[in-house]
């Protein structure tokens, strides 16, 4: 189990796992590596997880972090879970469209909306 | 009258020119005017070099370099303040590539960054001490099979905002360029 990166707040309710990213700049490689490892570790600790990644506090994000999101997505699919990203700032959204992540992962305006949807439609 | 020899020379010259301007199959960029090229030789600045910075290939000094060049462009009005995050993103991608791929993370090797401009465009050249690369090693971001790759999206990100992205010295220097922002 990796050491906590200190940049994530993780709360789990049943199989719903809310992950809030508290760092605003996801550019430095050690930060990205630590967050990536912590996200993948979620798959070890939660069976068929319904993960919500709350990026509302993120202002900058590099392609390396996008790669970690892809790795998480692949892990979630392998674990027969689901993944949603919530709260992305309007000026960051083009980044997800350019990298075509929006074709893989569903985006929501806020985490609460995803929690309600996950509760309505449990896996 | 054009001789057979002249035709052959022209054909050779055109083929050479084409090989110097290798465009990756990247679809139509958002601006419709984006160019990505691999050129031979050394980069020549388009105008006066207004800022130069050299740093070791250490990620802990990357932020300082990024802020230095982002501030220089925004303060001169070459990049709008609201576009600063795009510039930071492009600098991050290019400097990280130079440090980790070009110089293979060796802190004894330096990355040199220079900012130049003419009346219409600014350029930021980022040079490493590595051997460069070939375009064939860059994943085609428009290939559907690339969608699940965990790397290779940096160029796609940069091209979304830049006017051109040109590689010199077999890829060991990358030049980011864009039109100077119109006064708001």
């Amino acid at each position: 189990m990796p050491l906590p990166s200190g940049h994530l707040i993780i709360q789990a309710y049943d199989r719903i796992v809310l992950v809030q990213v508290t760092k605003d700049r996801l550019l430095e490689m050690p930060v990205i590596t630590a967050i990536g490892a912590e996200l993948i570790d979620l798959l070890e600790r939660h069976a068929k997880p319904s993960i919500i990644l709350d990026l509302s506090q993120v202002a900058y994000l590099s392609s390396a972090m996008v790669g970690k999101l892809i790795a998480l997505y692949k892990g979630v699919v392998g674990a027969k879970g689901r993944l949603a990203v919530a709260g992305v700032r309007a000026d960051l959204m083009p980044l997800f469209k350019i990298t075509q992540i929006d074709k893989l992962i569903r985006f929501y305006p806020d985490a609460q909306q995803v929690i309600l949807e996950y509760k309505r439609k449990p896996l | 009258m054009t001789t057979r020899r002249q035709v052959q020379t022209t054909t050779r010259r055109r083929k050479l020119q084409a090989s110097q301007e290798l465009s990756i199959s990247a679809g139509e960029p958002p601006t419709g005017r984006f160019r990505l090229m691999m050129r031979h030789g050394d980069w020549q600045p388009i105008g006066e070099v207004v800022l130069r910075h050299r740093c070791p290939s250490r990620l802990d000094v990357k932020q300082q370099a990024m802020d230095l060049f982002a501030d220089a462009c925004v303060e001169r009005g070459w990049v709008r303040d609201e576009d600063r995050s795009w510039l930071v993103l492009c600098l991050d991608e290019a400097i990280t590539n130079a440090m980790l791929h070009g110089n293979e993370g060796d802190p004894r090797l330096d990355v040199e960054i220079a900012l130049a401009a003419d009346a219409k465009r600014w350029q930021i050249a980022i040079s490493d001490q590595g051997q460069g690369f070939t375009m064939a090693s860059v994943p085609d971001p428009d290939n559907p099979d690339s969608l699940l790759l965990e790397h290779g999206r940096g160029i796609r990100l940069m091209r979304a905002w830049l006017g051109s992205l040109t590689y010199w010295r077999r890829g060991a220097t990358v030049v980011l360029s864009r039109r100077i922002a119109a006064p708001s």
Side-chain angles (χ1 to χ4, degrees):
Chain A
M1 182 176 161
L3 288 171
S5 64
H7 306 307
L8 302 180
I9 297 173
I10 300 169
Q11 299 169 78
Y13 323 89
D14 299 328
R15 283 181 177 164
I16 298 178
V17 184
L18 173 62
V19 183
Q20 292 170 283
V21 180
T22 57
K23 181 133 178 94
D24 64 337
R25 296 173 78 118
L26 302 181
L27 299 176
E28 298 90 356
M29 204 55 78
V31 169
I32 292 169
T33 304
I35 289 176
E38 207 173 349
L39 290 175
I40 293 299
D41 184 59
L42 291 175
L43 304 171
E44 300 286 324
R45 290 189 284 124
H46 301 276
K48 289 177 73 175
S50 293
I51 297 177
I52 306 156
L53 190 61
D54 184 343
L55 297 182
S56 56
Q57 293 182 49
V58 176
Y60 295 94
L61 184 131
S62 72
S63 67
M65 190 61 225
V66 170
K68 299 299 178 192
L69 290 188
I70 298 285
L72 177 63
Y73 167 78
K74 290 195 284 193
V76 166
V77 170
K80 298 186 174 9
R82 54 188 166 178
L83 171 65
V85 173
V88 173
R89 289 166 40 149
D91 58 341
L92 261 190
M93 203 54 217
L95 188 146
F96 293 102
K97 289 186 187 297
I98 291 159
T99 52
Q100 298 187 309
I101 305 304
D102 62 328
K103 291 184 178 174
L104 297 174
I105 302 170
R106 291 191 69 180
F107 285 75
Y108 293 80
D110 60 74
Q112 195 57 36
Q113 202 172 323
V114 195
I115 292 170
L116 291 175
E117 184 165 323
Y118 280 175
K119 280 186 172 171
R120 262 201 314 270
K121 299 175 191 169
L123 279 180
Chain B
M1 187 177 162
T2 309
T3 65
R4 186 184 174 88
R5 188 178 178 82
Q6 281 173 321
V7 170
Q8 284 175 336
T9 307
T10 307
T11 307
R12 269 203 303 272
R13 193 177 295 138
R14 281 182 183 154
K15 278 184 180 170
L16 178 63
Q17 195 174 359
S19 71
Q20 288 172 338
E21 297 191 7
L22 291 174
S23 236
I24 63 166
S25 147
E28 196 62 17
T31 62
R33 290 192 296 273
F34 180 84
R35 291 181 306 155
L36 187 146
M37 287 171 285
M38 178 76 87
R39 289 187 178 274
H40 293 291
D42 285 333
W43 167 65
Q44 297 298 325
I46 49 172
E48 183 193 359
V49 174
V50 296
L51 181 62
R52 271 188 201 279
H53 180 72
R54 181 181 277 266
C55 59
S57 295
R58 286 189 358 234
L59 292 172
D60 59 315
V61 299
K62 181 185 67 170
Q63 190 65 53
Q64 182 197 359
M66 285 161 48
D67 288 341
L68 186 65
F69 282 84
D71 287 348
C73 289
V74 172
E75 282 165 9
R76 285 173 172 81
W78 295 347
V79 171
R80 290 201 183 108
D81 195 33
E82 58 263 36
D83 278 348
R84 185 190 161 92
S85 56
W86 273 111
L87 176 56
V88 167
L89 184 68
C90 293
L91 285 168
D92 177 68
E93 297 290 344
I95 297 173
T96 302
N97 281 346
M99 289 180 170
L100 295 187
H101 300 301
N103 287 342
E104 297 179 342
D106 186 341
R108 295 168 300 176
L109 300 180
D110 286 344
V111 169
E112 188 174 331
I113 311 167
L115 170 64
D118 64 9
K120 291 181 179 172
R121 288 178 299 155
W122 55 260
Q123 289 182 324
I124 296 177
I126 297 153
S127 301
D128 60 56
Q129 295 180 265
Q131 301 301 310
F133 66 98
T134 60
M135 284 295 185
S137 63
V138 180
D140 178 355
D142 289 324
N143 183 337
D145 294 338
S146 299
L147 193 57
L148 286 173
L149 288 180
E150 291 165 30
H151 59 89
R153 288 178 169 77
I155 289 176
R156 177 179 271 272
L157 277 180
M158 288 192 277
R159 77 175 192 181
W161 184 70
L162 294 171
S164 70
L165 188 62
T166 311
Y167 289 94
W168 297 83
R169 297 172 55 235
R170 298 180 184 277
T173 294
V174 61
V175 179
L176 322 181
S177 181
R178 187 177 154 97
R179 277 183 171 275
I180 286 176
S184 50

